[in-house]
Amino acid sequence: MIIPLNKLKIGQKGIIKNIEPGPLEDRFYDLGFTKEAIVECVLKSPFNDPTAYKIKGTLIAIREEDAATIKVGVMDE
Amino acid sequence: MNSKTIILAGNPNVGKSSIFNNLTNKHQHTGNWTGKTVEIAEGDFKCNNQNYHIYDLPGTYSLNFHSEEERVAADFIKTTYHDVTIVVCDATCLERNLYLALQIMQLTPKVIVCINLIDEAQKKQIFINFSKLSKMLQVPVIPMSARKNYGFNELKEAINNYQKPEKTFEKITDIAQKAKEITESTVIYQNQNYDAKERKIDRILTHKFWGLLTMFALFLLIFWLTISAANYPSSLLFKMFNNLTPYLTKFLNILPLPDFLVDLMINGIYKVLSWVVSVMLPPMAIFFPLFTILEDLGYLPRIAFCLDKCFKKCRSCGKQALTMCMGFGCNAVGVTTTRIIDSKRERLIAILTNSFVPCNGRFPTLISLLSIFIIGLNASSLLSALGLTVIIVFAILITLLISYILSKTILKGEKSAFTIELPPYRSPNLKNILTHSFRDRIYKILKRAISCSIPAGIIIWLLLNISLDNIPVINYLVNLLNPLGNLIGLDGAIILAFILGLPANEIIMPIILMIYLASSNLIEVNELSALKDILINNGWTILTCINFIILSLFHYPCATTILTIKKETNSTKWTLISIIIPLIIGISLCLLIKLLFNIF
């Protein structure tokens, strides 16, 4: 199942399938959000946005609408 | 002997500055957040009779020109002649670090890779095969722990023995893929849940309820400790300076100096100076180490994470919260810190509003006034801290409001994207905290305050002692400013003090007192009750107090901050705007409050 990254629930992992073109595309790439990388939803901020994701051993916070441009395949537990 | 040149590059927050400090014996502060080093630092060291000149670049994730730092770093590596570039990598997240290392290796073949934080990696049971890594990268690889002082001999040896490679590296088309391949064949994660404990702490610190409460409580705690512990040393310093006055006067009288000069030194310079030191030094000496602990722990990026939504609503970004935190220490530092904000528009918003959060130089006066007029002289220091926190929350709300207005008017534009890295928690190093707090912050700020108090003391003394028609010049000035002062619920002396206090906020209160005291013979102000009597005798009411607090929050940035804004924006227009905005806010709020007081 392919969903936007922002729909990933806390504790869920996904494999990055696609990053839509946009101002953040390159930035995501630099931060480690590359195709086939495993990303885990880890923390929600007190106001539910942004969300922190674990990627390649680091924790990166992204806003909801920006996370929506990354499509991930949900991994089974 | 010719000096060889070394460049230090790497991701943000991987310990480049720690390595730089160790090699050069310098003291760049190393905080636990992305973007701490914003300027290229330079230093020298000697090793085996060879001199080295070393540049510490700001941390970047790539060389793709996304931000100012990346542009600076990439240009620097490309255009500056160097003998070797040391790429510092974080052992706990090697893949992303290798991405940058490989990018750098596409620009220059002269690379040594340093794998720092291996102690942290060991704790997390992450193991790296360094010799294999070195073979795959075709460059020397040095495992290190800069904090634990481990690996420096090996690094120096590697630098000394470094031989320039014959050829450049082959072109890599997919750098990310290459980094992944190398990582997969050199790194073993023995414990997949290595960060379980950190995540537990994070879940509390970013919890809907507990997270925000902790944030409030932490700042309250810092202010409370600052206020309660500073009280006693402050009054001790006051007494000491007062007791020294007669001796100093005697001493100066022995010297062949004219009487007026002795009076200028004692009643002008010495008075302002002793006030500034006794009021400022103790709170600073407590606040800065405490704040540095928060910084080194890695808590500040969490604040940005927690508050981003509020800033997003105002079309700016959560990193502004981090720059405001730095502003508590010193607004000039806060302004420099705004470099972590990628969007130019959002960065300008953060620069223009930074002086709204009261810096250390304004805390003591705010606290004294709170005690005198609002919560009572005998109130507990916890109540004072609470009062100060309320003032700061108010300042934050105004910051959000103005950020919103700015992004709807002169800084129009959509909110831009926001990404921030939440670093692993690191235990603060006591020695680091103390040297940094005292050497870089307290000493610097105190030096500046002192160098501002001396001319201020002279000017005030001259204004008080030069007379026209037997009336001191200062009276003309105060009378001139009285209508404006009265209009906004203050008086001419206060307005004059704010004008003369441009170089440093710390000297505003002593100037006011000197003007008030000129007509009386009461000289020593070492107790809050004495301060209270003076202020009330000069017509202060609760309205004066509230409006003074407002004006103290919103007047104009101090001279140092203004110069920093000019440097950072490189624009006279924005510098002027940064002066005008708080003036408008301050004066209109004062007018409004006075109006409300007159109605009720």
Side-chain angles (χ1 to χ4, degrees):
Chain A
M1 191 176 50
I2 307 266
I3 59 169
L5 182 59
N6 61 321
K7 298 287 181 213
L8 218 56
K9 293 193 182 70
I10 285 185
Q12 266 189 323
K13 286 183 187 169
I15 299 181
I16 298 176
K17 292 297 172 193
N18 183 35
I19 298 175
E20 284 170 14
L24 265 187
E25 194 187 357
D26 294 332
R27 165 67 69 184
F28 281 146
Y29 202 73
D30 296 343
L31 291 171
F33 292 85
T34 50
K35 269 187 197 172
E36 299 303 315
I38 297 171
V39 56
E40 180 188 346
C41 176
V42 178
L43 284 175
K44 290 261 176 201
S45 116
F47 302 105
N48 266 327
D49 183 30
T51 304
Y53 299 94
K54 196 169 137 185
I55 178 101
K56 295 180 183 171
T58 62
L59 201 58
I60 307 283
I62 310 175
R63 283 176 179 168
E64 201 174 349
E65 63 273 24
D66 300 322
T69 65
I70 301 177
K71 302 290 185 274
V72 295
V74 181
M75 284 167 77
D76 296 324
E77 288 303 301
Chain B
M1 180 106 220
N2 274 339
S3 181
K4 287 191 173 175
T5 307
I6 300 175
I7 299 177
L8 213 52
N11 271 197
N13 206 21
V14 293
K16 284 187 302 299
S17 299
S18 299
I19 294 176
F20 175 84
N21 287 346
N22 189 301
L23 288 174
T24 58
N25 279 323
K26 283 206 173 182
H27 299 275
Q28 281 260 53
H29 181 234
T30 53
N32 184 9
W33 48 280
T34 292
K36 173 76 202 184
T37 305
V38 288
E39 262 170 26
I40 298 175
E42 290 178 55
D44 292 288
F45 69 98
K46 203 173 177 175
C47 174
N48 279 2
N49 283 325
Q50 170 67 50
N51 289 319
Y52 291 99
H53 190 68
I54 181 163
Y55 295 96
D56 181 17
L57 298 187
T60 56
Y61 293 110
S62 77
L63 298 176
N64 292 341
F65 292 81
H66 295 148
S67 68
E68 194 60 36
E69 282 88 54
E70 284 169 20
R71 226 180 310 271
V72 170
D75 281 345
F76 197 85
I77 294 174
K78 271 188 222 161
T79 57
T80 311
Y81 175 80
H82 57 278
D83 294 281
V84 61
T85 298
I86 300 176
V87 184
V88 184
C89 295
D90 179 346
T92 62
C93 50
L94 195 60
E95 187 176 339
R96 194 190 66 198
N97 284 263
L98 283 182
Y99 174 68
L100 175 72
L102 290 168
Q103 271 193 336
I104 291 174
M105 286 161 65
Q106 300 280 298
L107 290 183
T108 166
K110 297 174 281 186
V111 167
I112 293 177
V113 169
C114 222
I115 311 287
N116 193 20
L117 299 164
I118 54 163
D119 53 326
E120 226 170 90
Q122 233 156 31
K123 251 190 221 156
K124 294 178 171 173
Q125 301 187 34
I126 301 169
F127 298 101
I128 301 171
N129 184 340
F130 295 107
S131 55
K132 194 170 177 190
L133 184 61
S134 173
K135 236 178 241 154
M136 291 185 84
L137 289 171
Q138 302 168 42
V139 298
V141 169
I142 315 292
M144 293 191 71
S145 167
R147 278 161 54 101
K148 296 262 149 75
N149 229 337
Y150 168 82
F152 280 101
N153 289 336
E154 290 78 2
L155 176 63
K156 282 181 187 164
E157 208 172 296
I159 294 171
N160 258 322
N161 300 335
Y162 188 75
Q163 297 291 333
K164 193 179 153 188
E166 310 269 303
K167 53 180 174 43
T168 54
F169 298 110
E170 57 185 275
K171 194 108 190 103
I172 306 171
T173 41
D174 190 345
I175 293 178
Q177 181 59 31
K178 182 90 182 168
K180 191 180 169 194
E181 278 167 30
I182 297 176
T183 315
E184 274 169 2
S185 54
T186 52
V187 184
I188 301 166
Y189 291 85
Q190 255 179 16
N191 176 6
Q192 289 298 332
N193 280 326
Y194 62 85
D195 56 355
K197 207 165 119 196
E198 283 187 336
R199 292 300 81 79
K200 240 182 226 163
I201 300 172
D202 264 337
R203 266 194 288 278
I204 298 168
L205 290 185
T206 62
H207 186 268
K208 267 186 203 5
F209 176 73
W210 295 114
L212 295 176
L213 191 72
T214 317
M215 193 189 303
F216 186 82
L218 269 175
F219 276 96
L220 185 64
L221 179 74
I222 289 189
F223 293 140
W224 178 57
L225 287 173
T226 305
I227 294 170
S228 56
N231 249 337
Y232 182 69
S234 260
S235 59
L236 209 66
L237 278 172
F238 260 123
K239 275 190 197 122
M240 189 197 80
F241 281 120
N242 278 340
N243 291 342
L244 277 177
T245 314
Y247 297 104
L248 192 67
T249 317
K250 256 185 212 154
F251 172 73
L252 288 174
N253 278 329
I254 298 170
L255 302 176
L257 295 171
D259 282 350
F260 84 91
L261 207 57
V262 174
D263 194 52
L264 177 126
M265 284 188 199
I266 297 291
N267 287 323
I269 299 170
Y270 185 71
K271 220 193 240 174
V272 176
L273 207 66
S274 57
W275 170 280
V276 168
V277 173
S278 358
V279 168
M280 277 186 63
L281 183 60
M284 269 202 311
I286 300 158
F287 176 85
F288 276 118
L290 290 174
F291 183 78
T292 311
I293 292 177
L294 277 196
E295 206 186 334
D296 285 8
L297 272 173
Y299 184 63
L300 299 191
R302 265 93 185 164
I303 295 181
F305 176 63
C306 287
L307 295 181
D308 178 59
K309 188 73 179 269
C310 310
F311 287 91
K312 183 178 161 187
K313 284 244 155 84
C314 305
R315 288 163 192 280
S316 79
C317 88
K319 289 182 188 174
Q320 195 177 336
L322 206 160
T323 62
M324 286 159 73
C325 286
M326 297 307 285
F328 286 136
C330 167
N331 292 126
V333 173
V335 168
T336 315
T337 315
T338 58
R339 291 186 191 180
I340 59 171
I341 300 172
D342 294 331
S343 141
K344 217 175 163 192
R345 185 187 69 83
E346 288 168 6
R347 186 174 166 217
L348 265 174
I349 292 179
I351 289 177
L352 296 181
T353 54
N354 194 274
S355 70
F356 297 2
V357 289
C359 64
N360 232 283
R362 292 183 264 173
F363 286 165
T365 312
L366 292 178
I367 295 162
S368 321
L369 289 180
L370 270 178
S371 315
I372 292 174
F373 287 96
I374 297 173
I375 54 179
L377 287 180
N378 298 318
S380 75
S381 47
L382 187 63
L383 204 59
S384 305
L386 200 64
L388 185 63
T389 315
V390 170
I391 292 180
I392 285 167
V393 170
F394 175 72
I396 294 171
L397 291 177
I398 296 285
T399 303
L400 285 168
L401 176 73
I402 299 303
S403 301
Y404 181 76
I405 295 175
L406 283 173
S407 58
K408 284 284 181 192
T409 52
I410 50 173
L411 283 166
K412 253 191 211 139
E414 279 307 303
K415 58 191 176 350
S416 66
F418 163 83
T419 54
I420 193 166
E421 182 169 354
L422 305 180
Y425 292 103
R426 287 177 184 147
S427 55
N429 171 322
L430 187 72
K431 190 183 148 224
N432 237 341
I433 287 172
L434 292 180
T435 43
H436 169 60
S437 305
F438 283 88
R439 189 195 310 259
D440 304 342
R441 287 178 160 163
I442 297 171
Y443 173 71
K444 258 191 204 159
I445 294 178
L446 200 64
K447 199 170 91 181
R448 195 180 77 218
I450 288 175
S451 61
C452 293
S453 339
I454 294 171
I458 296 175
I459 291 175
I460 282 288
W461 187 89
L462 290 176
L463 291 177
L464 286 167
N465 287 279
I466 297 177
S467 299
L468 282 176
D469 299 332
N470 275 332
I471 301 169
V473 175
I474 202 150
N475 288 22
Y476 292 102
L477 288 174
V478 169
N479 286 336
L480 191 72
L481 292 168
N482 258 333
L484 174 65
N486 293 334
L487 183 72
I488 57 173
L490 300 169
D491 65 28
I494 300 173
I495 304 289
L496 183 63
F498 270 100
I499 294 172
L500 293 174
L502 174 73
N505 283 296
E506 295 85 352
I507 58 176
I508 291 174
M509 197 35 109
I511 294 178
I512 293 177
L513 292 179
M514 284 179 74
I515 300 174
Y516 286 162
L517 290 176
S519 46
S520 74
N521 279 325
L522 187 60
I523 301 295
E524 315 303 353
V525 189
N526 52 10
E527 294 286 335
L528 270 186
S529 54
L531 182 62
K532 180 179 181 174
D533 291 342
I534 299 165
L535 294 180
I536 288 179
N537 285 340
N538 282 280
W540 278 53
T541 60
I542 188 149
L543 171 68
T544 329
C545 166
I546 293 176
N547 278 1
F548 181 91
I549 290 175
I550 295 287
L551 205 62
S552 159
L553 291 178
F554 314 107
H555 51 293
Y556 30 72
C558 70
T560 316
T561 309
I562 293 177
L563 290 175
T564 313
I565 294 174
K566 176 79 181 45
K567 187 177 144 219
E568 292 296 317
T569 58
N570 204 7
S571 143
T572 312
K573 179 186 137 196
W574 290 115
T575 311
L576 284 176
I577 291 177
S578 78
I579 296 170
I580 294 165
I581 292 175
L583 266 179
I584 295 175
I585 302 170
I587 291 175
S588 11
L589 276 176
C590 285
L591 277 172
L592 184 74
I593 292 168
K594 196 192 169 201
L595 198 71
L596 289 175
F597 257 79
N598 287 345
I599 294 171
F600 297 108

